[in-house]
Amino acid sequence: MRAWGKPRVAGTREDMRVGVVALAGGVGAGKFLRGLVGVVPPEDVTVVVNTGDDLVVHGLHVSPDLDSVLYWLAGAMDRERGWGRADESFRTTAELRRLGADGAWFGLGDLDLATHLLRARLLRDGHSLSAATAELARRFGVATRLLPMTDDPVATRLSVIDESGRERDLHFQEYWVAREARDRVLAIRYVGADAARPAPGILQAVEEADRIVICPSNPIASIDPILAVPGIRGAVEAARDRVVAISPIIGGAPVRGMADKLLPAVGEAVSATGVARHYRKLLGAYVIDRVDAAARPEIEGLLDGGTVAVVDTLMVDDAVATSLAAAALACVGAGA
Ligand code: GDP
Ligand code: CA
């Protein structure tokens, strides 16, 4: 029996556990985290979230991945669309487009705007992004600790070749949202990462966590920016025996998103094996989908002694996410 599958009993040793740190992008992470907080008390989970996609729209600081994770954990997400709020409307964005406002290519929902207005107010009052994030989580009733990877500005930028053969340098969101990932990606940079510091609490949480989970997020667009903040990759590598990742690639394709465009840009195959190779120095264990079961021996070889678990990883509902989280936690740390 794995301790994680059982409900926590007050007064037992499980009550005192340091908990789980999750490295997260947006939607893939959000779905998974709903499962994770089904098997670990939400307040024992610290989520370190990518901010390389952040951008300023209409003067407001927008953090797409922090917002996705917040909405999924709060149960306020649109499950079908993946990003943004349920019961959302886009009247403000439609009007901004009609008025020809700069930045209106980035669709912000009317309910979603409330988050950005509140965050902008907190930032303008001198709070850090971490403090503003904690405040938003509190107001959404989310007990899980959400930490941006850094309070410093980092921007994921792509060098691409556009349809006319011209080389361009694009912010991640311009590539993904405005240009719908149509350009060929040559290279990815995390601008500002070298000078960024991990947000307060991250390094200590990674050091003390009894398990560290790399969510099924885009390795290049979501997880690598987090690892590019000086100190974080080293802390995760040092904790390797406690680290498990879930493949975001099932049967040679991302469930959604543009991982199939970005993995080749770093010379990696679009497969569960390619992601394992990309992460190999970080992992004590790795979870792949049943459709990729044949890749298991090769991945075990890459992880030199690491565990490879084969389960259902397509999170069609919270029940699948919960079993997936339990399986991931069972591979590493105490009792594995
Ligand atoms: P984004 O920033 O919103 O694109 O979110 P993430 O980086 O967290 O998630 C994108 C990745 O999540 C993509 O590579 C998807 O393939 C993966 N993903 C989404 N849903 C699922 C799922 O149900 N199962 C698995 N294994 N991966 C998923
Ligand atoms: Ca993202």
Side-chain angles (χ1 to χ4, degrees):
M1 262 316 278
R2 305 289 184 194
W4 289 104
K6 293 186 289 190
R8 191 173 65 156
V9 181
T12 63
R13 271 205 64 232
E14 284 166 59
D15 213 24
M16 293 177 282
R17 74 172 68 256
V18 174
V20 177
V21 169
L23 307 188
V27 177
K31 287 187 203 170
F32 175 78
L33 291 166
R34 284 181 68 79
L36 184 64
V37 299
V39 288
V40 182
E43 60 277 15
D44 290 358
V45 176
T46 296
V47 189
V48 178
V49 185
N50 170 44
T51 58
D53 309 1
D54 287 19
L55 70 171
V56 173
V57 189
H58 316 306
L60 308 173
H61 182 121
V62 177
S63 292
D65 286 356
L66 277 168
D67 294 335
S68 290
V69 167
L70 177 68
Y71 297 155
W72 277 85
L73 283 172
M77 73 292 174
D78 185 312
R79 194 178 271 279
E80 298 313 309
R81 199 185 327 110
W83 57 273
R85 303 275 313 259
D87 301 317
E88 185 61 286
S89 54
F90 290 86
R91 295 189 65 200
T92 307
T93 290
E95 183 64 357
L96 285 161
R97 284 179 185 163
R98 197 183 69 78
L99 294 170
D102 279 347
W105 54 269
F106 196 81
L108 295 177
D110 300 325
L111 295 177
D112 189 34
L113 262 169
T115 303
H116 310 310
L117 289 168
L118 186 49
R119 178 188 289 119
R121 175 62 198 265
L122 291 162
L123 295 174
R124 212 164 36 240
D125 285 351
H127 296 286
S128 62
L129 183 61
S130 316
T133 301
E135 185 57 25
L136 282 165
R138 190 180 71 75
R139 296 193 192 199
F140 271 86
V142 169
T144 297
R145 180 157 70 140
L146 303 187
L147 299 175
M149 65 192 199
T150 179
D151 285 331
D152 301 317
V154 174
T156 298
R157 297 197 67 94
L158 309 178
S159 306
V160 305
I161 301 278
D162 71 12
E163 62 270 58
S164 65
R166 192 160 68 92
E167 190 163 343
R168 296 199 192 202
D169 176 64
L170 303 174
H171 184 279
F172 176 79
Q173 301 292 357
E174 286 175 275
Y175 162 76
W176 174 234
V177 180
R179 299 186 53 77
E180 299 171 325
R182 75 175 88 112
D183 307 302
R184 188 158 64 84
V185 181
L186 302 176
I188 297 122
R189 284 149 27 246
Y190 310 109
V191 178
D194 288 352
R197 292 150 301 173
I202 293 179
L203 298 182
Q204 192 188 353
V206 169
E207 220 170 90
E208 292 180 1
D210 54 15
R211 286 155 173 90
I212 296 146
V213 183
I214 302 178
C215 292
S217 286
N218 187 315
I220 314 303
S222 296
I223 303 299
D224 281 1
I226 302 175
L227 297 169
V229 176
I232 299 183
R233 182 184 294 276
V236 175
E237 267 183 32
R240 178 180 180 167
D241 292 348
R242 292 174 280 136
V243 181
V244 56
I246 297 98
S247 176
I249 304 290
I250 302 179
V255 178
R256 51 175 286 150
M258 73 319 279
D260 53 333
K261 305 253 170 59
L262 299 187
L263 280 162
V266 300
E268 221 45 275
V270 184
S271 62
T273 311
V275 175
R277 190 177 298 112
H278 188 69
Y279 286 151
R280 68 190 178 283
K281 295 199 184 103
L282 304 169
L283 300 184
Y286 188 57
V287 181
I288 61 175
D289 195 85
R290 289 188 204 279
V291 305
D292 296 310
R296 185 183 190 158
E298 189 185 356
I299 297 174
E300 279 170 347
L302 284 170
L303 299 190
D304 104 81
T307 311
V308 178
V310 181
V311 299
D312 289 326
T313 71
L314 185 61
M315 296 175 284
V316 291
D317 55 28
D318 288 345
V320 179
T322 303
S323 336
L324 175 58
L329 294 177
C331 298
V332 283

